[in-house]
Amino acid sequence: MAQGPAHGPGRCCCCGAGGGGERGAAWGLHLRIDRQRLHCLNERRDGSGALVFRAWEERGDRGKFVESDEDAELLFNVPFKNIPHMSFDDAAREPDQMFSLNRDPTGELEYPTKVARFSSVNHLSIHFPKNFGAETTKIFYIGLKGEWTEAARHEVTICSYEAAPNPAEHRLQQHTPQTHFIS
């Protein structure tokens, strides 16, 4: 009798934390990226930066990647609150969070974020200032994990403000002020 897949976290999609199905669903923010407005600065091939944001299940696809052009530096502007259309000059500013990256050929490492700093994000800038010593940087996969909620738009409220009050519109009833003393 044939046996099914080995069970345990990360081995099948029916098991708990780390299981393929649940993990894949949690990494579904790639579907919420505005790819028409996504910009990757210093990419060798125009438009290749958008290729690395894809489903968790597709992270092993080595045919889709972005490679830096002249040096190791890459900068992604992903429209979803940092600085819209960030430049390399802006990259000198203090980041919301900095990560020390490890080599990860299988694309399975997760880097914990400071959740309070990344709530209600509508634009994200990701800067790779250097790599592990190669002349250019090549990235095959970036997964964005989180919950997506529809942006709540506040409609325009029509208000009237008075530059000077009209006393006829604000008649006050005459009343005798009362004072209460407690002893």
Side-chain angles (χ1 to χ4, degrees):
M1 178 180 268
Q3 293 186 3
H7 290 284
R11 296 190 191 123
C12 69
C13 47
C14 64
C15 294
E22 287 181 21
R23 193 173 197 180
W27 290 76
L29 290 180
H30 70 282
L31 297 172
R32 304 301 181 179
I33 295 172
D34 183 351
R35 293 181 186 277
Q36 300 299 320
R37 291 185 10 226
L38 187 142
H39 291 104
C40 181
L41 302 180
N42 199 35
E43 62 186 346
R44 179 169 286 174
R45 216 174 60 240
D46 285 344
S48 61
L51 301 175
V52 300
F53 296 94
R54 56 183 185 269
W56 167 259
E57 296 79 17
E58 298 173 21
R59 71 188 182 285
D61 183 352
R62 307 298 273 182
K64 297 178 184 176
F65 62 90
V66 62
E67 184 173 10
S68 62
D69 193 16
E70 297 292 322
D71 55 23
E73 200 167 19
L74 282 172
L75 177 63
F76 292 88
N77 285 299
V78 185
F80 288 129
K81 178 169 162 169
N82 295 12
I83 304 168
H85 301 68
M86 186 173 174
S87 70
F88 285 118
D89 292 334
D90 297 320
R93 294 180 48 196
E94 183 69 26
D96 288 332
Q97 186 167 359
M98 186 178 281
F99 300 99
S100 292
L101 300 180
N102 297 306
R103 291 185 186 268
D104 183 19
T106 60
E108 295 198 19
L109 288 179
E110 293 183 36
Y111 297 92
T113 57
K114 299 172 184 172
V115 177
R117 294 212 175 188
F118 294 98
S119 63
S120 301
V121 171
N122 56 37
H123 181 93
L124 180 66
S125 296
I126 306 170
H127 181 222
F128 295 90
K130 58 185 179 178
N131 58 30
F132 295 103
E135 201 170 295
T136 62
T137 299
K138 193 181 264 190
I139 297 174
F140 293 92
Y141 173 75
I142 296 175
L144 299 175
K145 183 178 180 179
E147 295 179 16
W148 185 85
T149 55
E150 188 74 42
R153 291 186 48 121
H154 184 295
E155 298 299 323
V156 175
T157 305
I158 299 174
C159 298
S160 297
Y161 295 96
E162 297 177 348
N166 182 351
E169 294 176 353
H170 303 283
R171 295 207 182 263
L172 296 175
Q173 294 180 2
Q174 198 65 296
H175 63 88
T176 305
Q178 297 180 359
T179 306
H180 298 279
F181 293 101
I182 299 175
S183 58

